[in-house]
Amino acid sequence: MRTIIVLSLLALLGLAQVLSAQTLTIEVRGIEKVKGQLYVAFYSSEDTFLKKPLTGLRVEVTDTVLTIPCQGLPEGEYAFALFQDENGNGRLDTAAFGIPTEKSGFSNNAEGIMGPPSYDKCLFCLQKNTVMVVNLK
């Protein structure tokens, strides 16, 4: 009987997390070539930023502006990075010195100097349904 009660409580807690999850809608602009896929990776700590995403998704590029609903993220602090994989090889292609040859972007439209922006520049707090605009560069 205890097992059933514990399992029921765990199920309710899981349901509460889903119900309290917010929708982040990302509007991606600056897509020059309507081809390939857009990869989005979410991070929840500076230690994992650009190394090990918390979660991610892949979307087919079908227009020069994409609206991507990201559901299921609980309230919290996040940063995301995205890139357009034009050639379909599943990774961000780079040239000499690691300079990207495919378009990319970050939450808050953050930009780095001589490399990607810091986690702090990309960090945002998700507390309610939110729309963020990102311009690929």
Side-chain angles (χ1 to χ4, degrees), residues 42-107:
F42 291 92
Y43 304 90
S44 60
S45 75
E46 187 172 3
D47 292 337
T48 61
F49 186 58
L50 301 180
K51 297 175 191 132
K52 186 176 181 189
L54 173 69
T55 189
L57 55 104
R58 181 178 58 192
V59 178
E60 202 67 34
V61 176
T62 57
D63 205 343
T64 57
V65 175
L66 291 178
T67 301
I68 306 166
C70 307
Q71 298 174 328
L73 290 172
E75 288 186 5
E77 293 186 338
Y78 300 96
F80 66 80
L82 52 86
F83 73 94
Q84 183 181 0
D85 181 19
E86 290 181 17
N87 61 8
N89 66 357
R91 66 175 193 261
L92 176 64
D93 294 328
T94 58
F97 305 108
I99 298 169
T101 58
E102 294 176 306
K103 298 229 175 212
S104 61
F106 297 89
S107 44

Side-chain angles (χ1 to χ4, degrees), residues 6 9 14 20 22 25 39 48 50-51 58 64 68 71 76 81 90 102 109 117 123 125 130 134-135:
V6 170
L9 286 173
S20 70
Q22 311 306 308
T25 302
Y39 284 81
T48 61
L50 301 180
K51 297 175 191 132
R58 181 178 58 192
T64 57
I68 306 166
Q71 298 174 328
E102 294 176 306
N109 267 324
L123 188 64
C125 188
T130 303
V134 176
N135 297 301

